[in-house]
Amino acid sequence: MTADTLDSAGTDGGTHWAPGEHILWRYRGNGTDRVHICRPVTVVQDTDELLAVWMAPGTDCVKPRLTDGTSIHEEPLATRYTKPRTTVVSRWFGTGVLKLARPGEPWSVWLFWDRDWRFKNWYVNLEEPLARWAGGVDSEDHFLDIAVYPDRSWEWKDEDEFAQAQRAGLMSAGQAERVRAAGRDAVACVESWGPPFAGGWEEWRPDPSWTVPRLPEDWGRSPARLGA
Ligand SMILES: [Mg+2]
C-alpha cells in the first residue's frame, strides 16, 4: 500500500475507510483502461471481510452513452457494444442502492428497496474483484448478473448481454467460462445462504445526517501506481 493510499484511507490507522467517508465506486469500460461508470458513495462499513457503501438518491453519477445520444439500453443488442461511446453525467433518480463487496470476490451484491423501504431484491453483479485506490474502488463489469429474491429464489439476468459481449469480442471464450464459473460460485453462496445474504442488510437504513456525495471534476483520474 502506498503513502497516498494511507493518507486518505480513514481513521483506524490507515487500512480502512471510516463510516460516512465519501469514495468513488467505478468501472472501467470493457477492454479499455478508461473509467466509464463512476458512482460517488458513502462508506457504511469497511472491514477485512466486507466493504459496504450507500449510493444515495440524487447522486450525480457518470455513465456511458452512445455518441449519437442514444442511451445504452435503448440501443438494439446487436449494435450495443460496437457503436462509439462517450460518457455523460446523470443524476440517480431511483431509490438508493446498498452495495456490498467481500474482498477478492468476483462479484458484488446490491440491495434494492422501493420508496417505502420495502425490500425488493438482491442483485449479484459479476465483476472483477474490486481494486482499492486512494479515492475508492475500481472494477470491470462482466455483463452476467443474478437476481435473488426475498424467498431466496434466484435467476440469471442479462444472459443476452453476456452472449452479445462475447460475439462483440469484449470477452474471450476463456474469460466467459471463468465468469460463468464465478456465477455458479455465487449461486452456491445463495443456496447455502452465506455472506452477505444472511447479514440482515435488508433492515439497514442510511444515517439521516449523511449528505449526498459530490462527483469530483477529476472522477476519471487514473489510479495507476496506487495500490499496486
Ligand atoms: Mg452486471
Side-chain angles (χ1 to χ4, degrees):
M1 192 173 274
T2 67
D4 282 355
T5 310
L6 293 172
D7 283 345
S8 63
T11 58
D12 70 347
T15 55
H16 295 110
W17 290 296
E21 278 198 79
H22 293 173
I23 65 169
L24 303 177
W25 184 288
R26 310 195 303 180
Y27 293 93
R28 292 180 304 280
N30 293 80
T32 81
D33 55 8
R34 291 189 313 279
V35 172
H36 76 155
I37 291 173
C38 179
R39 297 170 178 155
V41 295
T42 302
V43 173
V44 173
Q45 174 187 312
D46 181 22
T47 65
D48 289 343
E49 288 73 43
L50 185 75
L51 173 65
V53 304
W54 171 243
M55 186 171 73
T59 304
D60 282 335
C61 298
V62 173
K63 67 178 185 181
R65 178 179 290 172
L66 299 185
T67 54
D68 69 9
T70 308
S71 85
I72 300 297
H73 287 282
E74 285 167 4
E75 180 68 20
L77 195 58
T79 44
R80 193 173 298 172
Y81 299 121
T82 49
K83 286 197 174 173
R85 292 182 170 206
T86 184
T87 53
V88 290
V89 175
S90 172
R91 188 156 291 176
W92 180 260
F93 281 114
T95 53
V97 183
L98 181 66
K99 295 175 183 269
L100 310 176
R102 287 156 47 78
E105 242 170 21
W107 63 79
S108 58
V109 177
W110 305 353
L111 283 82
F112 292 91
W113 291 266
D114 70 14
R115 291 188 190 280
D116 299 321
W117 280 102
R118 193 196 322 263
F119 180 64
K120 291 202 298 195
N121 63 281
W122 294 267
Y123 199 85
V124 179
N125 195 66
L126 296 167
E127 62 195 26
E128 262 180 36
L130 297 180
R132 299 170 69 104
W133 57 286
V137 289
D138 285 0
S139 180
E140 190 169 307
D141 184 75
H142 285 162
F143 300 98
L144 187 64
D145 306 295
I146 304 162
V148 181
Y149 301 102
D151 66 0
R152 304 188 186 184
S153 64
W154 60 270
E155 62 178 328
W156 297 107
K157 302 293 276 189
D158 296 342
E159 290 195 272
D160 56 344
E161 294 192 349
F162 183 55
Q164 186 64 31
Q166 292 168 62
R167 285 193 289 271
L170 294 176
M171 270 203 181
S172 68
Q175 189 188 11
E177 185 40 52
R178 287 191 293 278
V179 170
R180 182 66 80 171
R184 286 192 291 267
D185 288 346
V187 165
C189 183
V190 170
E191 293 188 331
S192 65
W193 212 242
F197 301 100
W201 287 100
E202 316 89 277
E203 307 306 322
W204 176 87
R205 300 292 182 266
D207 184 329
S209 73
W210 283 349
T211 56
V212 175
R214 195 181 57 85
L215 180 69
E217 290 286 326
D218 60 349
W219 55 264
R221 67 189 179 277
S222 169
R225 308 187 319 278
L226 294 174

